[in-house]
Amino acid sequence: MNQDPRSHGLWADSAPPGPDTSYLGVGEPAVDVLVIGGGFTGLSAALHLSQGGARVAVLEAQELGFGASGRNVGLVNAGLWLMPESLPFLLGPVYGPRLLRILDHAPDLVYQLVQRHDMQCQAVRNGTLHCAVGAAGFREIRARWQQWKQLGAPVELLDADATARALGTAAYRGSLLDHRAGTIQPLAYVRGLAQAAVRAGARLYTHSRVRAVNDGGTHWQVWTDQGKIDTSWVLVATDAYTQDIWPELQRQQIRLPYFNMATRPLDKRQYAHILPKGEGAWDTRKMLSSFRLDQDGRLIFGSVGALRGVGTRIHENWGRRALSRLFPELGRVEFDYEWYGHIGMTSDALPRLHQLARHTVSISGYNGRGIAPGTVLGRELARLILGQIDMADMPLPLTEPARAPLKSAREALYEYGAMAAHAASDRF
Ligand SMILES: Cc1cc2nc3c(=O)[nH]c(=O)nc-3n(C[C@H](O)[C@H](O)[C@H](O)COP(=O)(O)OP(=O)(O)OC[C@H]3O[C@@H](n4cnc5c(N)ncnc54)[C@H](O)[C@@H]3O)c2cc1C
């Protein structure tokens, strides 16, 4: 997929191939909608637009899933990182409940698409566990549990014993089990969306980095190095990996690095007690950790940090120490794969809907919760462009991109802070 083995790691080796694609050339037929970016948002939009009868092309700078979509943990969660109650507080009485409602059911859409289009993406829907670290962590998940419960969501608060049975480690004070959620192989899901979009009629172009979007009066002219295509609408789905176009999208996000490491396939007897029901898990620490199994019994363990320079060794060593504290029975673990990517964070942890120009829209800034939200908000962008809903009906208010204060300093703080925390950490 990509020359750098630290870009997509295990996912690149275990995903079935995607559809055949080529780069955009000259003389390509015009489309109604040109989607920029081949991740969850862009491909879900392309699928739903094509199903709605629009002529659609997707331009991806590298390979499908090159951005965060092909690198993530694969936790298909409902809602956002924010507490449910804070959405109406931050977005007001119209958009708050509307966004909450749509994200409450967002995993349903993911698993329906997987089933309907027969995607081979290791989809498991046995919930996820948000694990409480200490008393403060438990208070946090109890508040989440109460808030979701009030909204009628199928969530359970597990005590320390039940959590230890579910996880196979006694490291946590309790957990929030969310039955709406599950896990997938994220790159395989990207490719499944791409196959479905192609079958619905979309044209997908890879190694086609958009360099310019020019106003042709009645239409847009979208230029790559080798080609050009005319379109009525432009849908920008480039999130934290935005290059060249609309730099304000980049400027409004703080990029947080996150890495994953996958062990060798474990012996069935070794891991029978680790996540026996196949949930995905992550914890309440600020420098959080996540873990899950894949279909071959590899344990995938992740945390904040970039696998580059001295960070690589620091995070690898920390990963080994942390895993052997969580699951001492595994002995010294070896990692077959390591990879990392960047999460696009916004100042208030909410995604953003922008109208960047006439008939040009974008959604970005998922703050680490992009599988289900990207899928469902991609569909909502498609419905907007198809004229099935108005801008005022969207689940997010339209805003102007705003520069994130102290962007470079905060990005450095994430990267070097994670190194310092992992180098110093001897606890788990
Ligand atoms: C390590 C990691 C772990 C994560 N874990 C989870 C998780 O477990 N659960 C969860 O829900 N979310 C998770 N996330 C967040 C989630 O992966 C993202 O929110 C989501 O993938 C964003 O999808 P997207 O389609 O909007 O953007 P992306 O997948 O980033 O796609 C954007 C694409 O646009 C392309 N592009 C950029 N500029 C141009 C251009 N000029 N021309 C053409 N193409 C261009 C890029 O190459 C890229 O492929 C994680 C993210 C990371 C990095």
Side-chain angles (χ1 to χ4, degrees), residues 132 138 157-175:
F138 194 71
L157 188 64
L158 305 188
D159 64 15
D161 287 344
T163 299
R165 283 194 298 279
L167 296 173
T169 173
Y172 296 103
R173 167 75 180 75
S175 61

Side-chain angles (χ1 to χ4, degrees), residues 30 36 123 172 293 296 406:
I36 309 179
Y172 296 103
L293 290 157
D296 297 323
L406 302 172

Side-chain angles (χ1 to χ4, degrees), residues 112-140:
Q112 279 159 13
L113 290 173
V114 166
Q115 201 176 21
R116 195 174 304 145
H117 299 284
D118 194 22
M119 298 180 195
Q120 302 306 305
C121 62
Q122 303 185 26
V124 176
R125 198 174 188 185
N126 285 342
T128 53
L129 291 153
H130 192 177
C131 306
V133 177
F138 194 71
R139 278 195 297 279
E140 182 195 327

Side-chain angles (χ1 to χ4, degrees), residues 324-371:
S324 62
R325 255 178 240 123
L326 270 180
F327 305 110
E329 64 282 13
L330 295 182
R332 184 186 159 85
V333 290
E334 293 302 331
F335 296 117
D336 270 0
Y337 295 95
E338 304 171 353
W339 69 101
Y340 79 104
H342 284 99
I343 295 177
M345 313 285 286
T346 56
S347 51
D348 55 7
L350 284 168
R352 300 280 191 269
L353 166 66
H354 303 305
Q355 174 140 19
L356 300 165
R358 168 179 49 85
H359 282 185
T360 301
V361 283
S362 74
I363 291 189
S364 58
Y366 297 106
N367 291 271
R369 187 64 68 89
I371 302 175

Side-chain angles (χ1 to χ4, degrees), residues 36-68:
I36 309 179
F40 303 134
T41 310
L43 292 168
S44 169
L47 169 62
H48 290 98
L49 282 161
S50 303
Q51 286 176 332
R55 292 172 303 159
V56 182
V58 177
L59 297 186
E60 163 55 50
Q62 310 272 347
E63 298 279 351
L64 300 170
F66 173 82

Side-chain angles (χ1 to χ4, degrees), residues 4 66 72 101 122 230 262 268 297 307 310 316 339 351 406:
D4 179 1
F66 173 82
N72 64 66
R101 233 179 353 261
Q122 303 185 26
D230 291 345
K268 193 91 183 158
L307 299 182
V310 287
E316 273 170 1
W339 69 101
L406 302 172

